[in-house]
C-alpha cells in the first residue's frame, strides 16, 4: 500500500438488536428482493441462505449479522436497532445509497443520550440507527 492510499474505513456496525424476537429472522415476503435491496444500501453481504424450514438469508457487515425470513411475520411491527460507531458516517452512507432518513434526534435511555435516526425500508421493516453521545 502506498503512502497516498487511504486506509480502509473502520467498522461502522457494532451490533444489531431485534425489536421483537430474532434479528436473524426479520419478516420479508421475498428473500431475493430483500438481499438485493439491503446489500447495496446497507452494505450487507450475504453469508448464509436456507430453504428450510422457511426461506432465509443472513447478511453481515463488520461482523454484525441481520437475517430475513419468509415466516409470515408482520414487517410493519418488526425491525432492528443498529448500533454504529459513527452516526454521521452511517447517515451519509445510507443517503448516498438512496436510502431516505427519517426522524433524526437525540434520545435518552437509562441516563444515557444517543444520537439516532430511523430508516423504514420498502419491505416495511424499521431500523433505529444509534450511537451513544
Amino acid at each position: 500500500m502506498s503512502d497516498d492510499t487511504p486506509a480502509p474505513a473502520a467498522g461502522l456496525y457494532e451490533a444489531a438488536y431485534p425489536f421483537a424476537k430474532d434479528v436473524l429472522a426479520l419478516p420479508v415476503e421475498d428473500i431475493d428482493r430483500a438481499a438485493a435491496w439491503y446489500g447495496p444500501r446497507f452494505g450487507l453481504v450475504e453469508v448464509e441462505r436456507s430453504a428450510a424450514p422457511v426461506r432465509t438469508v443472513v447478511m453481515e457487515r463488520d461482523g454484525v449479522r441481520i437475517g430475513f425470513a419468509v415466516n409470515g411475520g408482520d414487517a410493519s411491527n418488526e425491525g432492528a436497532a443498529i448500533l454504529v460507531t459513527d452516526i454521521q458516517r452511517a447517515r451519509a452512507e445510507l443517503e448516498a445509497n438512496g436510502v431516505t432518513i427519517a426522524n433524526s434526534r437525540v434520545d435518552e435511555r437509562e441516563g444515557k443520550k444517543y444520537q439516532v435516526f430511523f430508516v423504514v425500508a420498502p419491505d416495511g421493516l424499521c431500523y433505529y440507527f444509534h450511537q451513544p453521545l
Side-chain angles (χ1 to χ4, degrees):
M1 181 151 58
S2 70
D3 291 336
D4 60 346
T5 303
L12 183 60
Y13 286 27
E14 284 192 285
Y17 308 97
F19 288 166
K21 295 181 183 177
D22 189 353
V23 78
L24 295 178
L26 299 175
V28 295
E29 291 183 7
D30 184 302
I31 290 297
D32 296 326
R33 188 169 56 224
W37 193 85
Y38 287 100
R41 288 165 185 84
F42 279 37
L44 297 169
V45 176
E46 184 175 326
V47 294
E48 188 178 317
R49 190 178 281 244
S50 176
V54 297
R55 292 191 51 169
T56 61
V57 64
V58 176
M59 303 183 80
E60 181 176 8
R61 176 171 182 171
D62 304 323
V64 175
R65 290 183 171 208
I66 300 172
F68 306 95
V70 180
N71 56 18
D74 182 359
S76 68
N77 288 318
E78 280 276 7
I82 300 175
L83 178 64
V84 294
T85 59
D86 184 334
I87 197 79
Q88 299 307 328
R89 182 175 143 213
R91 181 186 182 112
E93 182 182 296
L94 287 163
E95 288 177 331
N97 293 338
V99 177
T100 301
I101 305 299
N103 203 12
S104 184
R105 66 183 191 222
V106 174
D107 281 355
E108 188 169 339
R109 294 187 318 271
E110 299 174 3
K112 295 182 181 178
K113 291 187 177 185
Y114 298 85
Q115 181 68 49
V116 309
F117 64 81
F118 292 83
V119 169
V120 178
D123 54 25
L125 292 168
C126 181
Y127 297 90
Y128 175 85
F129 285 83
H130 63 290
Q131 176 188 16
L133 292 176

